[in-house]
Amino acid sequence: MIEFRDVTKQYPDGTVAVDGLDLTVEDGKITVFVGPSGCGKTTSLRMINRMIDPTGGSILLDGKDIRESDPPLLRRGIGYVIQHAGLFPHRTVLDNVATVPLLTGAGKRAARARAAELLELVGLPQEVARRYPPQLSGGQQQRVGVARALAADPPVLLMDEPFSAVDPVVRDDLQQQLLRLQSELDKTIVFVTHDIDEAIKIGDRVAVFRVGGRLAQYDTPSALLAKPADDFVSSFVGRDRGYRALGFLTATGVPVAPVATVPAGGEVARAREALVDGWAVVVDEERRPLGWVSAETLSQMDGSVDAEQLVSGGSLFEVDSTAGTAGSLRNALDAALSSPAAVGIAVDGRGAVVGGVTAQTVLAALADARRSGEVPG
Amino acid sequence: MNAAFAWLFDPEHWSGPTGIPARILEHLGYTSLSVLFAAAIAVPLGAVIGHTGRGTFLVAGLSNGLRALPELGLLTLLVLLTYVGLLPVVISLVILAVPPILAGTYSGIRNVDRAVVDAAHGMGMRSSTVLLRVELPNALPLVLGGIRAATLQVIATATIAAYVSLGGLGRFVIDGNNAGPGSPDGYPQMAAGAIVVAVLALVVEGALALVERAVVSPGVRDAARAGRSARMRRRPTGDVVENPI
Ligand SMILES: Nc1ncnc2c1ncn2[C@@H]1O[C@H](COP(=O)(O)OP(=O)(O)OP(=O)(O)O)[C@@H](O)[C@H]1O
Ligand SMILES: [Mg+2]
């Protein structure tokens, strides 16, 4: 647990970067610091590993004031990932990752073996290990940065805008991977970003800072979307927050109605009979959806249902499966809205069609959830 | 010029304690002694100043001040003050070699990517480890550049040793001058001496380039190359200012 107690940082030039910060970072969770540029996120983060010392208040790590620790020793127990990775250009990728184990006295062989494990864990191929950092893409460098921070298995991980310098597709990938890693490793992660979407996506708890280094709100992502503390937070959280809030409600309460399906390659005449409200879903042998057909598209096919001539479907959403990967109300609503037949296709964990939902049923489920108090607001 | 080459390729001038090989060895001796001393002073000093950011004024001050001193005047002064011998020669050559090495080391350390240094501290390296294991290896191309520049200057200037009756390739220049015009050991000997100094400088330059290839990490070489092309891309107008070292 990391506790900020009335922490203030004033730089020598008089700038107050952090002002009276009181905040507790919970163990095993991802806590995100978010806010506009210059609001003191980086300063707050760097005070945790004593890269910066506060001018007032104190910071406790597991109950112990960090001022009592020797900074280098403190830092070896805290992973640190920065925006441009900051990899050592003169060392191979493998030796970069082995840095902290070597510092803490591991033998060269053991440190390198550990480094190889970590490269695999972050999804980098073997051959990357012997390259030098300038020979890697930005996304690969960031992965190496994460591997390097995790090498000595520190309980705490500090990440300062680690994914903001890579393109959106790679960023999405890195975010997913971080969540996957976290589900295995249960680190206490403090993550800085200026991107509220990223904060909501990966944070268990989000601290919104305002310029001048003051904490505006500290809450779960769904509470932040549903009940912003003031105008600053609500404008920072941005547009569509009602819609985005649906992303935090599982679609388990949405009734899934039967949906008309026809097999690909089946007879057109029989498919025509199966249409409901003029539409049917075409499925493969394992009942996975391929697309939609209407009376009009069927009239252009002769003999059998041609998988090449379908109307492409909308997004899919997963109903509760044994894996617990149920989609959200946002997924369900989006599936309904994006479907040509106005029916969102619900699939099970293996991707087979189990039924359909309409926008009305999703909204009705939302209203029920509101009434039963599941949704604040 | 032909006379100079005739003198140069005369087998008689290639043997004995006053022959060209012996003089080259003496010359290289003064040079390496001076450059080693200079590096022993300037590399640690430049590294510490670059690392701490304290004493930056020393780098600029020393470079300008020392460069303004005319070597010969300094040498004469030292000779008058002490005695004729190796020491004043080496001292004046060291004074000549310190500024480029100091400047190279200092700017090498300062040019290391701040994010890299920050990460090194953030991972728990002690300050001295950051300097020795991170900053210096990355600064190496500029440190060696400074040493190369210093070595070339010292090779050219080590001819002054002959003024105080020491050896080295300067002997041919001085003796040639003293022999007077018209003598076969006059102008041709002087020109031959100058040619040998020039060739020696080229060979040493090449050797140091090889050393650089061997000791600089491939990652640092790549980074320098990537950084250079990035700079050029940013300024397509042709006003690219390359580091002269
Ligand atoms: N070394 C310093 N000296 C003086 N002022 C500083 C220093 N470092 C940061 N500041 C100032 O402190 C304030 C907070 O800076 P900080 O880097 O913590 O912001 P940030 O929230 O991380 O911003 P960004 O999103 O731009 O990274 C800013 O006004 C900044 O200009
Ligand atoms: Mg920042």
Side-chain angles (χ1 to χ4, degrees):
Chain A
M1 206 164 69
I2 305 165
E3 291 165 79
F4 286 82
R5 292 202 180 154
D6 195 20
V7 173
T8 294
K9 173 65 188 184
Q10 179 167 30
Y11 284 105
D13 67 358
T15 313
V16 177
V18 178
D19 193 7
L21 179 64
D22 276 305
L23 179 145
T24 300
V25 173
E26 286 167 52
D27 279 344
K29 295 272 194 282
I30 301 182
T31 299
V32 180
F33 292 177
V34 69
S37 183
C39 66
K41 308 178 293 288
T42 297
T43 305
S44 302
L45 186 83
R46 285 163 66 86
M47 287 193 290
I48 298 172
N49 63 356
R50 294 197 65 189
M51 292 294 281
I52 297 174
D53 278 325
T55 45
S58 54
I59 299 174
L60 277 59
L61 179 61
D62 294 330
K64 189 175 164 221
D65 192 326
I66 58 170
R67 267 172 304 190
E68 289 163 21
S69 312
D70 177 37
L73 295 181
L74 175 75
R75 290 171 194 154
R76 287 172 204 175
I78 300 178
Y80 186 45
V81 186
I82 56 179
Q83 186 174 11
H84 293 285
L87 301 178
F88 301 143
H90 63 295
R91 290 193 184 164
T92 61
V93 165
L94 192 71
D95 286 340
N96 262 280
V97 178
T99 305
V100 184
L102 283 174
L103 277 178
T104 52
K108 200 152 197 159
R109 185 181 290 250
R112 286 198 167 149
R114 171 80 184 140
E117 259 171 51
L118 275 148
L119 287 175
E120 198 182 324
L121 188 68
V122 299
L124 284 170
Q126 285 264 300
E127 61 269 21
V128 165
R130 289 167 54 203
R131 290 204 214 145
Y132 288 89
Q135 302 162 339
L136 303 185
S137 71
Q140 288 174 325
Q141 293 190 16
Q142 246 9 91
R143 283 175 205 269
V144 176
V146 173
R148 185 172 69 172
L150 288 171
D153 204 17
V156 178
L157 197 57
L158 308 180
M159 309 180 85
D160 193 352
E161 308 217 16
F163 308 146
S164 62
V166 295
D167 71 66
V169 178
V170 178
R171 187 183 314 150
D172 203 62
D173 231 40
L174 291 169
Q175 290 166 344
Q176 295 298 347
Q177 184 176 49
L178 179 67
L179 291 175
R180 213 162 40 238
L181 277 177
Q182 172 66 354
S183 68
E184 288 169 31
L185 301 177
D186 281 327
K187 301 288 181 195
T188 304
I189 300 180
V190 185
F191 188 107
V192 164
T193 178
H194 58 256
D195 176 0
I196 184 72
D197 290 321
E198 185 171 56
I200 284 172
K201 188 165 171 188
I202 68 162
D204 295 306
R205 297 264 266 156
V206 178
V208 182
F209 287 66
R210 67 173 98 239
V211 176
R214 304 193 67 97
L215 187 60
Q217 188 169 357
Y218 185 39
D219 242 320
T220 61
S222 60
L224 211 60
L225 288 168
K227 284 190 172 167
D230 57 21
D231 287 351
F232 168 76
V233 178
S234 77
S235 77
F236 189 74
V237 169
R239 285 181 293 146
D240 305 333
R241 71 183 162 82
Y243 182 57
R244 286 190 287 162
L246 294 180
F248 292 97
L249 298 168
T250 57
T252 39
V254 181
V256 176
V259 65
T261 59
V262 299
E267 281 174 40
V268 168
R270 296 185 63 176
R272 203 183 296 277
E273 282 164 26
L275 298 184
V276 172
D277 292 334
W279 291 91
V281 181
V282 179
V283 294
D284 65 10
E285 298 92 71
E286 279 149 52
R287 287 190 59 77
R288 285 184 301 233
L290 300 173
W292 291 86
V293 284
S294 63
E296 195 193 331
T297 47
L298 283 175
S299 68
Q300 285 156 16
M301 299 175 185
D302 35 39
S304 61
V305 176
D306 181 1
E308 302 294 312
Q309 292 188 42
L310 307 178
V311 179
S312 62
S315 57
L316 305 173
F317 89 98
E318 206 173 305
V319 295
D320 205 8
S321 62
T322 43
T325 53
S328 63
L329 280 184
R330 183 177 172 171
N331 297 141
L333 186 58
D334 190 70
L337 295 177
S338 62
S339 159
V343 174
I345 302 175
V347 295
D348 65 16
R350 282 187 312 264
V353 175
V354 295
V357 294
T358 61
Q360 288 89 326
T361 55
V362 177
L363 294 177
L366 176 63
D368 283 348
R370 282 239 162 93
R371 259 193 304 281
S372 66
E374 236 185 273
V375 191
Chain B
M1 216 52 201
N2 283 338
F5 282 114
W7 196 95
L8 189 57
F9 293 119
D10 185 341
E12 256 186 43
H13 299 144
W14 283 86
S15 61
T18 60
I20 293 170
R23 292 297 186 211
I24 287 180
L25 280 183
E26 284 169 351
H27 204 89
L28 284 179
Y30 306 146
T31 302
S32 43
L33 194 63
S34 312
V35 173
L36 281 179
F37 270 128
I41 297 166
V43 172
L45 192 63
V48 168
I49 295 175
H51 176 71
T52 59
R54 273 181 220 151
T56 305
F57 65 93
L58 262 182
V59 178
L62 271 183
S63 306
N64 296 336
L66 293 183
R67 269 175 199 159
L69 285 175
E71 272 72 54
L72 206 55
L74 180 71
L75 180 69
T76 319
L77 186 69
L78 285 173
V79 171
L80 290 177
L81 286 179
T82 59
Y83 58 97
V84 172
L86 190 58
L87 192 66
V89 172
V90 169
I91 289 178
S92 75
L93 291 180
V94 166
I95 289 174
L96 179 69
V98 161
I101 302 180
L102 187 65
T105 308
Y106 170 77
S107 56
I109 299 276
R110 285 270 113 179
N111 276 335
V112 178
D113 185 352
R114 285 298 100 192
V116 169
V117 178
D118 192 63
H121 285 287
M123 286 192 299
M125 288 190 181
R126 297 201 179 275
S127 204
S128 55
T129 315
V130 174
L131 178 56
L132 293 177
R133 298 283 174 76
V134 178
E135 289 177 313
L136 271 176
N138 283 290
L140 214 49
L142 287 187
V143 175
L144 293 177
I147 290 179
R148 251 157 91 171
T151 307
L152 292 188
Q153 282 188 40
V154 169
I155 285 183
T157 316
T159 42
I160 57 171
Y163 282 104
V164 291
S165 23
L166 285 172
L169 294 169
R171 277 264 63 86
F172 299 128
V173 180
I174 304 283
D175 295 347
N177 194 33
N178 292 344
S183 150
D185 281 340
Y187 165 74
Q189 181 177 201
M190 273 175 84
I195 291 170
V196 176
V197 171
V199 170
L200 186 65
L202 285 178
V203 170
V204 168
E205 164 90 3
L208 288 178
L210 287 180
V211 169
E212 189 171 330
R213 278 198 72 82
V215 299
V216 173
S217 153
V220 174
R221 251 182 287 148
D222 284 357
R225 215 175 295 136
R228 201 154 42 230
S229 52
R231 266 205 303 284
M232 307 235 255
R233 248 180 277 123
R234 271 207 301 280
R235 296 200 220 146
T237 47
D239 61 342
V240 178
V241 185
E242 285 292 346
N243 199 315
I245 292 171

